[in-house]
Amino acid sequence: MLLGAVYALISVGLTLIWGMMNVLNFAHGEFVTLGMFTAFLAFSFWHTGPLVFIPLAAIVLFVIGQVVYYALIRDVMRGPMFAQVLATFGLLLFIRYMLFWIFSPNYRTLPSTLLGGTAHIDGLYVSYPKLIAALVAIALTAAVYYLLVRTQIGSQMLAVAEDREAARLMGIDPDRVQALAWGISAACAGVAGALLATFYYISPEVGGTFVLFAFVAVTLGGFGSVPGAMLAGPIIGVVQVATGYYTSPQFAEIAVFTLFILVLWLRPQGLLGRSIGGT
């Protein structure tokens, strides 16, 4: 359940990009990895804690997201869907192997004392790092949802998603709005990575593990549906933990991906997505 909140934060960024631009960002997991390494470097060089490296990861990844949009995605979007898939997949490989080159494949961790301790909640013992990660992820996911549905920026994003040229005629700069969406999406992944770094190992390919669960959450919630991603993330977390608890940890991931296949088979539009017929 606690991990599910982090999955929801990762999924919100993924589904935001799909909902606005119909671009499936295969490099989203590498943004999570970059957030983890940002936390690791901030701690290694400046001995800072989560109060510093989590906002730092958000800022760094926000800038990276904007750079990726202007340097790659803006031009690729004019091409066929296949070009978009290859571009984001190429970005995934570029970031991953750059991290391998810089940091080597060795695993790294932050000190367990950074957010040590265990909370006792209604008979359950919950580690503080996971509890704090879940609370921060829930707060940020709700903040992104509020931004999208209650602010002028959210309205501009919706207008660009509906009709880019019509939005331009209304005085909205589509490139600025879409770059902002990429910045927010990458920042969500970066914060999720920094939160995960407080209790999970760090390696150049670790983000791929989490983004697979994020893809399942996006599929379950409905592609392009932010509320769907917010709902599906905790469901994935519950399925994963309950399966591991009642059967064997080896079956936890099998159960999640079985759910993924069943959703695609029985309800491909997801829980809160629109069907092909628009109903």
Side-chain angles (χ1 to χ4, degrees):
M1 181 68 179
L2 297 179
L3 269 179
V6 181
Y7 294 157
L9 180 60
I10 300 172
S11 306
V12 162
L14 199 59
T15 203
L16 173 64
I17 296 302
W18 174 263
M20 275 200 69
M21 291 164 258
N22 284 349
V23 173
L24 198 54
N25 181 17
F26 284 97
H28 199 64
E30 312 319 297
F31 291 164
V32 176
T33 308
L34 288 173
M36 298 178 87
F37 273 103
T38 301
F40 175 76
L41 291 175
F43 176 80
S44 299
F45 285 104
W46 302 311
H47 303 289
T48 58
L51 287 178
V52 173
F53 66 59
I54 291 174
L56 180 63
I59 294 169
V60 169
L61 268 296
F62 180 84
V63 173
I64 289 175
Q66 295 233 324
V67 169
V68 166
Y69 174 77
Y70 282 114
L72 178 67
I73 301 301
R74 180 174 59 173
D75 296 324
V76 168
M77 283 176 57
R78 298 169 187 158
M81 174 70 78
F82 190 57
Q84 299 172 14
V85 171
L86 290 181
T88 59
F89 189 71
L91 181 63
L92 176 159
L93 296 177
F94 172 77
I95 295 174
R96 180 173 297 181
Y97 287 100
M98 279 293 291
L99 291 174
F100 270 123
W101 178 58
I102 296 171
F103 295 101
S104 80
N106 295 333
Y107 288 7
R108 294 168 171 81
T109 56
L110 293 178
S112 58
T113 54
L114 204 61
L115 284 175
T118 302
H120 186 206
I121 303 173
D122 197 22
L124 296 175
Y125 291 94
V126 182
S127 69
Y128 277 124
K130 290 184 179 179
L131 180 62
I132 292 171
L135 293 175
V136 173
I138 291 170
L140 287 180
T141 304
V144 171
Y145 181 68
Y146 180 86
L147 175 77
L148 294 176
V149 302
R150 295 289 185 184
T151 67
Q152 187 178 10
I153 293 174
S155 300
Q156 291 179 352
M157 288 182 176
L158 180 62
V160 172
E162 291 289 331
D163 192 324
R164 179 183 167 95
E165 291 307 315
R168 189 194 302 277
L169 293 174
M170 294 168 61
I172 299 171
D173 182 350
D175 281 333
R176 181 183 65 80
V177 173
Q178 290 180 331
L180 180 62
W182 270 85
I184 293 172
S185 171
C188 288
V191 170
L195 292 169
L196 289 166
T198 60
F199 61 89
Y200 207 85
Y201 70 86
I202 303 167
S203 79
E205 57 187 357
V206 68
T209 303
F210 297 109
V211 84
L212 284 177
F213 293 121
F215 272 117
V216 177
V218 169
T219 305
L220 178 61
F223 276 91
S225 171
V226 172
M230 294 170 66
L231 173 65
I235 292 176
I236 299 297
V238 169
V239 170
Q240 186 181 18
V241 173
T243 304
Y245 180 79
Y246 288 108
T247 60
S248 166
Q250 299 172 340
F251 292 114
E253 294 185 1
I254 294 175
V256 171
F257 293 113
T258 300
L259 176 66
F260 176 64
I261 294 170
L262 288 175
V263 170
L264 286 176
W265 181 27
L266 300 173
R267 189 175 170 82
Q269 72 270 29
L271 295 176
L272 301 183
R274 293 180 180 179
S275 67
I276 295 173
T279 57

